Amino acid sequence: MKSKLTSLLFSMLFLPVVLAGAKDTNNDTSDNNRTETVGKSSNSKEYETLSPEKKHFRIDLTIDGFLEDSQAKSLAYAVDHWQELKVLSAPIQGKEVKRGETLLRLNLERIRQEIQRLSNDLAMLDLNREILDTELELAESLAPMKQREIDRLETYAKEDLERFQKTDLPFQIKSSQMSLNRQEQYLSYSLEELNQLKKMYEADDLTEETEEIIIQRAQNDVDQAKFYVESARKNFKEFNEVLVPRSERSVMDAFRRENLSFEALRKIEPAQLKKQRLERKKLEEERKILVNRKKNLEKDLQAMSMKSPLDGRLYWGTFERGKWSGTAPFKSKLQKGGALKPHDPILTISPSKRMRARLNLPEKFLHELKPQTAGTLKFSTSPGVRIEAQVVSISETPVTPGIYDVTVEISFPKDFLLPSAGTSCSFSFTAYESKNALTLPESVLFKEEYEQEEMHVYVLNKKNEPKKRSVEVGRKSGKTFEILSGISKTTKILKEKPKT
């Protein structure tokens, strides 16, 4: 009796196992991803299996960025010709400002002094131009007269040379000759007179003292005449051999110098006139430069008054794709005596009425996101609130290495308190979705070293033996793969790779 009860109990325990083994061998129905243990016989090896699961498969992605005020205006001093921008009084960070309100005051003393100096220079230049105009007018009137005067002086020089050569020099030679002749004649007369006196007094036997005196005087006259003749001959010889050649050379040199001077004057006078005209033109150019410089500085002076272009909140610094620069880079600039640079944005006015998100899209997700993609936006100031949003545009080129710019329009609920510009945010969207996808866990998919592009699983054949089977996989979400082909829902998949 006891032996029968033992046999009956053993049969009741063993029967479900046999039935389960038969069910797995047929491989017709199973629960999703249910783990089962199967074997060919009591002596065969048992394997743990699971079945592919059909479910709603979705890939959600999140990208981060900042909130941007699309109406915000960054402000800078649009001055092009004045470099000295010294702060006199700085604005208050975060202050609410009105349109037309003065935001920042600069020290304008130096630029005003420069404008006044330019005004004085222009007044002096106008006086110089007036004087030069008068001188130029006079020079233009005198130019023909000066040319005629040069021609006349040149004619005089030629006439003087001709007169010297034909009249004056011959006359001087003749005069010198006549002077020599006169001295010689005077000597001749004196000798004749002395000889006559000597003959007359020699006839008398007795020479009186008076007669001796007369003869001595005549002798003295002869001696003096001889000296005069000698001197005249010396002067005549010196005149002809020295003075005449020198005079001829001097006159000819003077004539050549005058001719050269006349030639130079014929070139200099027109050049001087041309120079005056160029100086007049130069003054005009200098005046234009001064006028333009003054005009540009006056324009810069007007631009050095910074006023708010609209109502809103004032921020120190700038926003780059929604990210605020902060106040630190501007603390040394936006204080009394701080130095600013032209065209360097220093303030931003944010009305905070039309906000949008500017997001950073990693290049590995570039193919996942398209314009018009809808999603939800979450702000760091309200982490529990999600607001509907839609992608408007995606930049065609990266804004930084590996990052693309995404602009998202936000559908704020009515009476929603808008966050401030620069608030960090995150945009979540569905990159891929399949409502009835066949899936497997990553752990049952394998790759061979020589088949990196192909994945496979291990299944049980009709004899409950492991068999390698290639599968086509789709997208991956977490540790789950979508299976596109190669198995069905009823396929038994080994959880581990067989050792043989």
Side-chain angles (χ1 to χ4, degrees):
M1 182 67 176
K2 184 177 179 181
S3 177
K4 291 182 178 181
L5 289 173
T6 301
S7 299
L8 180 61
L9 181 59
F10 179 80
S11 300
M12 292 176 64
L13 293 173
F14 183 73
L15 182 60
V17 176
V18 175
L19 292 174
K23 185 177 181 181
D24 287 338
T25 303
N26 293 332
N27 198 22
D28 49 357
T29 59
S30 66
D31 293 335
N32 291 340
N33 282 356
R34 186 179 64 187
T35 300
E36 297 182 7
T37 303
V38 297
K40 183 173 68 171
S41 66
S42 58
N43 295 326
S44 64
K45 186 176 180 180
E46 295 181 351
Y47 299 97
E48 289 189 13
T49 64
L50 56 80
S51 298
E53 180 183 0
K54 278 210 168 187
K55 64 179 182 180
H56 187 186
F57 183 82
R58 189 171 71 179
I59 299 176
D60 292 328
L61 297 177
T62 300
I63 55 178
D64 299 324
F66 297 91
L67 203 59
E68 179 186 63
D69 186 351
S70 61
Q71 294 179 319
K73 298 291 184 182
S74 60
L75 304 178
Y77 283 107
V79 295
D80 299 316
H81 304 88
W82 186 257
Q83 301 299 318
E84 185 179 305
L85 303 177
K86 296 289 185 180
V87 175
L88 194 62
S89 62
I92 300 174
Q93 158 66 24
K95 177 185 176 183
E96 288 287 343
V97 296
K98 297 294 183 181
R99 181 177 182 181
E101 181 179 343
T102 300
L103 306 177
L104 182 62
R105 285 184 170 85
L106 298 179
N107 189 337
L108 305 177
E109 183 178 357
R110 290 286 301 277
I111 188 173
R112 285 171 176 163
Q113 290 176 350
E114 180 65 14
I115 291 174
Q116 183 60 47
R117 186 189 67 79
L118 290 172
S119 299
N120 296 337
D121 290 346
L122 279 171
M124 290 294 296
L125 190 144
D126 288 338
L127 289 175
N128 291 335
R129 185 179 61 171
E130 185 177 349
I131 294 172
L132 186 59
D133 286 343
T134 304
E135 292 177 347
L136 181 60
E137 183 179 357
L138 177 61
E140 289 175 343
S141 300
L142 293 177
M145 298 175 62
K146 289 184 176 181
Q147 289 296 327
R148 289 195 296 270
E149 183 180 5
I150 293 171
D151 294 339
R152 184 169 61 253
L153 292 175
E154 186 178 26
T155 300
Y156 291 165
K158 290 179 180 179
E159 291 175 353
D160 291 344
L161 177 63
E162 185 177 358
R163 186 185 308 109
F164 172 78
Q165 291 174 337
K166 293 182 179 182
T167 304
D168 293 346
L169 184 60
F171 181 79
Q172 290 176 5
I173 295 174
K174 183 178 179 181
S175 176
S176 178
Q177 183 67 51
M178 290 298 294
S179 177
L180 176 60
N181 293 339
R182 184 174 63 252
Q183 295 299 329
E184 289 177 344
Q185 290 172 0
Y186 180 76
L187 175 60
S188 176
Y189 296 154
S190 296
L191 285 173
E192 183 64 25
E193 184 177 353
L194 177 62
N195 292 329
Q196 290 297 329
L197 287 173
K198 285 181 177 182
K199 288 178 180 182
M200 182 179 64
Y201 291 137
E202 287 177 354
D204 296 338
D205 295 334
L206 182 63
T207 301
E208 298 180 356
E209 292 181 1
T210 302
E211 292 175 347
E212 291 179 357
I213 294 171
I214 293 173
I215 291 173
Q216 185 63 43
R217 184 182 298 169
Q219 183 64 49
N220 291 340
D221 289 342
V222 169
D223 293 339
Q224 189 173 12
K226 288 180 178 179
F227 176 77
Y228 286 157
V229 169
E230 183 181 359
S231 177
R233 287 174 178 170
K234 177 180 177 297
N235 292 337
F236 181 77
K237 181 179 181 180
E238 182 179 355
F239 177 77
N240 284 280
E241 293 180 359
V242 178
L243 296 181
V244 169
R246 288 183 180 180
S247 296
E248 288 178 334
R249 285 196 297 270
S250 298
V251 171
M252 288 302 300
D253 289 346
F255 177 74
R256 292 189 184 98
R257 282 196 298 271
E258 287 181 340
N259 277 340
L260 292 175
S261 298
F262 296 145
E263 291 177 4
L265 286 174
R266 284 192 176 91
K267 297 177 181 179
I268 290 174
E269 290 299 328
Q272 289 283 5
L273 191 60
K274 185 177 180 181
K275 180 182 177 181
Q276 287 180 299
R277 293 192 182 103
L278 290 175
E279 289 177 351
R280 176 67 171 79
K281 187 176 181 180
K282 181 181 177 182
L283 283 181
E284 285 294 331
E285 295 297 326
E286 290 178 356
R287 190 177 191 282
K288 288 180 181 179
I289 293 173
L290 291 178
V291 168
N292 288 335
R293 171 71 172 164
K294 181 183 176 185
K295 182 179 178 181
N296 291 331
L297 290 185
E298 288 173 344
K299 183 179 178 181
D300 284 352
L301 181 60
Q302 294 293 326
M304 288 168 69
S305 176
M306 183 175 286
K307 296 183 178 181
S308 177
L310 67 171
D311 298 346
R313 188 176 298 278
L314 181 146
Y315 289 87
W316 285 16
T318 58
F319 289 84
E320 177 65 26
R321 298 176 52 244
K323 186 177 181 180
W324 183 36
S325 64
T327 61
F330 299 90
K331 285 185 178 180
S332 61
K333 299 178 181 179
L334 295 175
Q335 61 177 350
K336 187 174 182 180
L340 305 178
K341 293 182 180 180
H343 300 284
D344 188 12
I346 51 174
L347 299 177
T348 301
I349 306 299
S350 173
S352 299
K353 293 182 179 179
R354 295 185 61 183
M355 311 297 284
R356 62 188 180 187
R358 299 292 292 275
L359 308 170
N360 297 321
L361 178 64
E363 60 184 5
K364 65 180 180 179
F365 295 145
L366 184 60
H367 67 285
E368 305 283 6
L369 191 61
K370 299 292 185 291
Q372 309 305 319
T373 299
T376 58
L377 204 65
K378 183 174 68 173
F379 305 109
S380 59
T381 54
S382 305
V385 179
R386 290 187 176 275
I387 298 176
E388 292 182 359
Q390 188 178 52
V391 175
V392 175
S393 64
I394 303 173
S395 64
E396 295 183 356
T397 57
V399 291
T400 58
I403 299 296
Y404 287 76
D405 179 39
V406 177
T407 302
V408 171
E409 292 290 344
I410 310 168
S411 301
F412 288 104
K414 188 177 181 181
D415 299 329
F416 184 82
L417 181 61
L418 296 181
S420 300
T423 301
S424 60
C425 60
S426 59
F427 178 69
S428 299
F429 63 96
T430 300
Y432 178 78
E433 185 177 19
S434 177
K435 295 183 178 180
N436 194 24
L438 192 65
T439 64
L440 280 176
E442 182 182 12
S443 60
V444 302
L445 293 163
F446 303 95
K447 288 183 179 179
E448 299 292 351
E449 292 183 0
Y450 54 87
E451 295 177 346
Q452 290 297 321
E453 299 299 325
E454 183 178 343
M455 300 187 74
H456 58 268
V457 296
Y458 289 93
V459 301
L460 290 176
N461 59 16
K462 293 181 179 181
K463 297 180 179 180
N464 279 348
E465 294 176 343
K467 183 179 181 182
K468 179 180 174 182
R469 182 179 295 180
S470 297
V471 293
E472 182 183 357
V473 298
R475 305 295 297 274
K476 179 183 178 183
S477 177
K479 294 186 177 181
T480 302
F481 274 95
E482 178 188 22
I483 306 301
L484 301 179
S485 64
I487 59 172
S488 65
K489 183 180 178 182
T490 58
T491 304
K492 298 298 182 179
I493 309 297
L494 270 64
K495 293 179 66 176
E496 295 181 355
K497 183 177 180 179
K499 295 181 179 180
T500 59

